Amino acid sequence: MEKKVQQYYKLKTRQKELEKELAGLRQDILAYFAEQGKAESVIGSYKVKLVTQNRKEYDDDKLYQTLSDPELWRLLSKADPAKVASLTKLKVIDEEKISHTYNVKTITLLQVDKQ
C-alpha cells in the first residue's frame, strides 16, 4: 500500500506541474492570437482555434428570492448553471423572470488538433 500511496503522491505532484505548464503555454498562445487578431490558424502541423463561450454565473441570493417556491428551490439546492438551464429549457422557470439573477461571463476555449 505504501508504494501505491507513494506513486499517487508522485503523480499528483507531476499533475500539478503539468497543469502549471499548460496554463503558461495557454496564456502565451492566447496572447499570440490576440496580437495577431485571429481566432483560428494552422501552425506547423497543428490547427489552433479559439472558441468564445458565454457562461452565466448566478447569484444564489437573488435566484432564491426570485424562485422562493421551496419545491422549485429544492430541485436546484444551489445555483447550478446546468440545472437552471435545464429547468429554463423545460419552461419550469421563465428566463425573463430570472434575467437579473446572473452575470454573463465570456470565456475563451483553446482547441489544438493535429492535422
Side-chain angles (χ1 to χ4, degrees):
M1 183 51 73
E2 183 179 347
K3 286 188 179 203
K4 287 183 179 185
V5 172
Q6 181 182 28
Q7 181 67 10
Y8 181 86
Y9 178 81
K10 286 180 184 179
L11 290 172
K12 287 300 278 186
T13 302
R14 198 162 82 201
Q15 179 184 18
K16 288 177 186 177
E17 292 168 357
L18 289 171
E19 286 173 354
K20 187 176 178 181
E21 185 176 352
L22 281 168
L25 291 169
R26 182 181 189 282
Q27 288 298 354
D28 291 346
I29 294 168
L30 291 176
Y32 172 82
F33 273 79
E35 188 179 288
Q36 298 295 313
K38 295 180 178 181
E40 189 171 334
S41 183
V42 174
I43 299 174
S45 61
Y46 298 92
K47 181 179 180 182
V48 183
K49 185 176 179 181
L50 302 182
V51 180
T52 303
Q53 290 183 343
N54 292 324
R55 292 189 180 165
K56 296 177 182 176
E57 293 184 340
Y58 291 92
D59 180 310
D60 285 348
D61 293 330
K62 288 180 184 177
L63 191 61
Y64 179 73
Q65 290 170 8
T66 303
L67 303 175
S68 56
D69 176 3
E71 290 300 312
L72 188 56
W73 186 250
R74 195 177 54 120
L75 292 172
L76 294 171
S77 72
K78 71 173 196 154
D80 179 339
K83 288 181 182 178
V84 175
S86 294
L87 291 172
T88 303
K89 283 182 183 177
L90 292 170
K91 307 273 190 231
V92 174
I93 299 173
D94 181 16
E95 176 73 31
E96 289 181 28
K97 183 178 178 183
I98 63 168
S99 63
H100 69 286
T101 67
Y102 60 84
N103 295 315
V104 177
K105 179 181 178 184
T106 301
I107 62 159
T108 302
L109 302 176
L110 173 62
Q111 296 178 344
V112 178
D113 297 310
K114 188 149 177 110
Q115 286 194 324

